[in-house]
Amino acid sequence: MASIVEMPELVLEKVIGFSDFKAVLSLRQVCRDFRNFIDDLNDSKLPDSKFQEVKITSGDKRIEFELVDSDNFSNRILFSKAERSRRFYGNTEVFENSNIMDVAVRDLEMILKFQKTILKQLRFEISSSCQHYNDSSVNALPIKLSNMFKKLNRKIKTKVLIILADYPSEVMSIFDFVDPDTLKTLGFTLWGGYLETEIDEFVKTEHWKKADGMSSDFIVLNLNVEDICHFSSCSIRTNSITAQELDFLRKTYTSSSNYKNSSIHLRSFNEIEELGNLWDPTDFFDSESSWLFRMKNSDERILHIEIHEDHSAHSTRKIVDFVEIPSSWVSPEAIIHDYNGN
Amino acid sequence: MSSTEQGTSSAAPAEPTTAPESAAAPEVPESFYYVHGKDKVVHKVSAGALQHSALIHGMISNLGYTEEQAKANPFPFENIDGDILQMVVDWCNQHKGKPTPPEDTNLPKQKEKLFDLVLAVNYLEIKELLTYCCKQVAMMVKGKSPEEIREIWMIPTDAEDEAAEKEAKKRAGKEAAGETAAAAGDAK
């Protein structure tokens, strides 16, 4: 009787082609011959793992991967640094002689080797309780991942990329292995809370340039509005902004064919009068002002701009909202300015 | 009505009954070839059915055998068991000149037969049947753990494999030692 291990390569390749991702991972563990055969196969011959979302959480004590599959089912793999263990579906495996982070990176490599579908979302949460940059091993994860992807010679394709990290440098090392071509939306959170951060490095990346939506919750130092005007949807915080800069954004947005909305949070805004001179002083009220501008390419769409105050427990800040709305929402008496300011 | 169906009916009786003069109907009667497996049981198969096998098709297309020559020279497939060859011949006859369906549920359910069939079909280069067989092999272990797969496919663990290998090496080593001893004896 014939045995499966003596089958010609073409046959095994076909069998693997008809197997799903989980079956191939099981086959890999059956014997050394299968493992070598599968590992040597070209990625194109492997089945698609079809994950929709990948969430990677890394802290002082543990690393967690959450993988949402095409049935919307969430698979979690937990790595404990103290126990040097991996936990998956109630099975715990201890790795006495390995760095658990290497085990985690290897597992992720194995999973992503099969991923062909573009992810809906890739989310990184990297945090460390000790804030000393040098002795935190947490930061090693993005770097180890970056090296792994370099070795694989590929990048993760995702539509949405969300990064929660301690430092901008971590964000940059994650950019290293994310394909900018499929990116639609970027989201950033820095744990330091309302830290002031320069984004010079970010804005130079293809990821920043190619995305059309961006939201960040830290305070951007030296914001250059030209760096954010290409986003059709944007939420950003900064210290202050000039009336000229707001007018530049207004002009860009009204000329854009796919503009949606933006929200700029300001610690202070002192140029409300200048803005009134530029746009229209009649719409100027005490703490809330709003303007309507016709979009350049459509009579159906109107850009609604509103400046209002937000009183939180600690401080008062000004919020400038630019929202594109259908013209049917606007009352007939409202004054609508032409896109060129008339 | 397809031309191949006409070909079949014309091959069995002596003369085709007054068939309508259709441009697609070939006048050439269908040729037959003969194959046998390990059990030497000879199967008569039409060239149309054998087209499924790229190997046999390649062999017969250059031969230009007459009916007598074909009968006198059956193709021997000594590496294929008789019952497996029967399965292959049956499949080829069933699917002669027909577009193959996306699924084939008539494949053997016993793994021993299925693996032998896969090897035969791979050797004979019957593309569609190989695809069905491989799919069936893959389905055997869908959703199974590595241990279960090992059991289903009767694969030894690496440790067992190594032990068997060591044993084989030892034996080979002993034989080699015996041979060199014998050779040394000869030299004396």
Side-chain angles (χ1 to χ4, degrees):
Chain A
M1 188 212 105
S3 155
I4 185 90
V5 277
E6 358 168 323
M7 293 290 163
E9 289 200 355
L10 172 78
V11 170
L12 287 180
E13 259 182 48
K14 272 181 176 268
V15 170
I16 284 167
F18 282 118
S19 305
D20 61 17
F21 156 69
K22 283 181 187 164
V24 176
L25 282 191
S26 296
L27 286 178
R28 229 186 132 260
Q29 293 175 54
V30 165
C31 65
R32 211 177 354 169
D33 290 342
F34 276 13
R35 189 178 60 229
N36 293 340
F37 181 74
I38 291 166
D39 289 352
D40 290 345
L41 264 188
N42 191 305
D43 289 354
S44 65
K45 290 185 176 143
L46 296 172
D48 187 354
S49 45
K50 292 187 202 156
F51 285 117
Q52 303 296 305
E53 289 173 31
V54 173
K55 181 176 161 189
I56 297 169
T57 314
S58 170
D60 288 338
K61 297 197 172 83
R62 55 179 217 166
I63 296 170
E64 188 184 321
F65 297 151
E66 187 181 340
L67 308 148
V68 180
D69 62 24
S70 48
D71 300 324
N72 236 344
F73 188 80
S74 170
N75 303 269
R76 283 166 197 269
I77 314 173
L78 204 72
F79 301 87
S80 159
K81 291 183 181 173
E83 293 167 15
R84 292 174 176 248
S85 67
R86 170 176 62 197
R87 216 176 143 75
F88 182 56
Y89 282 115
N91 295 328
T92 306
E93 198 175 339
V94 179
F95 297 83
E96 284 296 349
N97 303 315
S98 316
N99 179 340
I100 197 70
M101 206 184 291
D102 291 334
V103 175
V105 170
R106 215 160 45 224
D107 282 357
L108 193 66
E109 174 180 351
M110 190 44 66
I111 293 161
L112 292 174
K113 196 174 149 70
F114 290 83
Q115 181 74 18
K116 288 172 193 163
T117 305
I118 297 170
L119 291 174
K120 282 187 188 150
Q121 190 183 104
L122 174 65
R123 188 182 172 95
F124 276 91
E125 289 187 18
I126 299 172
S127 64
S128 142
S129 57
C130 51
Q131 291 288 329
H132 307 290
Y133 189 78
N134 288 330
D135 56 49
S136 165
S137 63
V138 177
N139 305 299
L141 186 70
I143 292 162
K144 274 184 190 285
L145 287 176
S146 176
N147 290 339
M148 180 264 279
F149 280 104
K150 250 179 222 142
K151 200 185 82 198
L152 265 187
N153 192 23
R154 52 190 279 194
K155 298 188 172 194
I156 309 185
K157 292 186 195 300
T158 181
K159 288 182 184 154
V160 177
L161 172 65
I162 295 175
I163 305 173
L164 297 84
D166 288 314
Y167 307 98
S169 61
E170 289 167 346
V171 174
M172 291 304 290
S173 56
I174 290 166
F175 275 172
D176 254 6
F177 53 83
V178 175
D179 190 333
D181 292 330
T182 56
L183 265 185
K184 295 252 176 278
T185 309
L186 291 168
F188 307 106
T189 292
L190 293 181
W191 296 119
Y194 297 89
L195 280 179
E196 296 187 344
T197 306
E198 302 247 8
I199 56 166
D200 308 25
E201 291 285 314
F202 294 178
V203 304
K204 282 184 218 150
T205 62
E206 287 300 303
H207 307 77
W208 185 276
K209 288 175 194 161
K210 286 189 171 159
D212 61 18
M214 193 282 296
S215 104
S216 63
D217 77 340
F218 48 86
I219 293 172
V220 175
L221 272 182
N222 309 321
L223 174 71
N224 181 349
V225 286
E226 285 177 38
D227 292 331
I228 59 163
C229 67
H230 69 286
F231 293 121
S232 66
S233 178
C234 170
S235 168
I236 200 161
R237 293 161 197 270
T238 188
N239 282 322
S240 192
I241 201 163
T242 66
Q244 287 294 343
E245 285 171 323
L246 287 178
D247 192 44
F248 171 82
L249 288 177
R250 194 270 304 163
K251 277 181 188 151
T252 317
Y253 294 159
T254 48
S255 310
S256 156
S257 56
N258 63 347
Y259 180 73
K260 291 190 194 79
N261 55 61
S262 294
S263 181
I264 303 172
H265 294 230
L266 304 166
R267 272 187 174 158
S268 63
F269 181 62
N270 309 319
E271 297 196 8
I272 194 91
E273 275 170 50
E274 285 88 337
L275 198 62
N277 291 335
L278 271 174
W279 292 347
D280 191 347
T282 55
D283 295 308
F284 181 60
F285 296 105
D286 192 22
S287 64
E288 192 179 307
S289 320
S290 70
W291 293 268
L292 297 168
F293 286 90
R294 209 175 291 287
M295 298 294 279
K296 191 173 177 180
N297 298 314
S298 165
D299 291 338
E300 317 280 290
R301 317 296 298 174
I302 303 284
L303 181 69
H304 177 258
I305 307 174
E306 185 180 284
I307 300 181
H308 57 98
E309 273 180 9
D310 180 58
H311 303 275
S312 70
H314 309 291
S315 61
T316 304
R317 49 187 184 161
K318 288 262 201 293
I319 298 170
V320 187
D321 282 324
F322 295 83
V323 186
E324 196 226 27
I325 55 170
S327 46
S328 57
W329 291 12
V330 178
S331 81
E333 298 95 63
I335 305 165
I336 305 172
H337 304 284
D338 210 6
Y339 69 88
N340 53 22
N342 299 325
Chain B
M1 186 162 177
S2 79
S3 59
T4 37
E5 275 169 3
Q6 265 206 349
T8 325
S9 63
S10 72
E15 273 293 315
T17 46
T18 47
E21 284 292 310
S22 135
E27 285 302 305
V28 197
E30 196 171 19
S31 48
F32 282 84
Y33 290 88
Y34 298 80
V35 294
H36 72 76
K38 209 184 258 173
D39 62 356
K40 311 278 190 214
V41 176
V42 175
H43 305 267
K44 182 183 178 188
V45 199
S46 72
L50 287 176
Q51 277 210 341
H52 281 292
S53 162
L55 179 80
I56 301 177
H57 182 67
M59 283 155 75
I60 60 181
S61 58
N62 296 321
L63 282 174
Y65 271 176
T66 61
E67 179 75 23
E68 290 70 37
Q69 282 173 314
K71 204 165 190 173
N73 298 295
F75 294 113
F77 295 111
E78 301 287 352
N79 52 346
I80 302 175
D81 282 341
D83 56 339
I84 301 292
L85 190 64
Q86 180 74 58
M87 279 183 215
V88 174
V89 167
D90 288 348
W91 189 88
C92 288
N93 279 328
Q94 274 165 24
H95 295 87
K96 187 173 84 168
K98 284 186 217 159
T100 43
E103 294 276 340
D104 195 327
T105 47
N106 291 324
L107 296 175
K109 294 284 177 286
Q110 312 125 282
K111 54 200 161 192
E112 293 86 354
K113 294 279 175 239
L114 183 59
F115 287 166
D116 286 337
L117 184 62
V118 169
L119 281 183
V121 167
N122 180 61
Y123 174 72
L124 296 171
E125 296 173 56
I126 306 175
K127 213 176 139 207
E128 288 95 347
L129 185 52
L130 183 63
T131 302
Y132 298 141
C133 290
C134 289
K135 195 168 183 182
Q136 181 123 336
V137 173
M139 289 308 133
M140 285 166 86
V141 296
K142 197 181 175 202
K144 300 284 193 281
S145 71
E147 292 72 29
E148 286 168 323
I149 295 173
R150 233 175 260 141
E151 211 162 282
I152 294 167
W153 283 353
M154 294 169 292
I155 300 168
T157 61
D158 285 343
E160 286 165 3
D161 210 28
E162 260 164 39
E165 231 167 69
K166 230 180 230 171
E167 191 59 37
K169 234 182 219 169
K170 222 192 227 168
R171 222 177 304 128
K174 262 185 198 164
E175 271 165 28
E179 265 170 37
T180 43
D186 283 350
K188 266 185 189 172

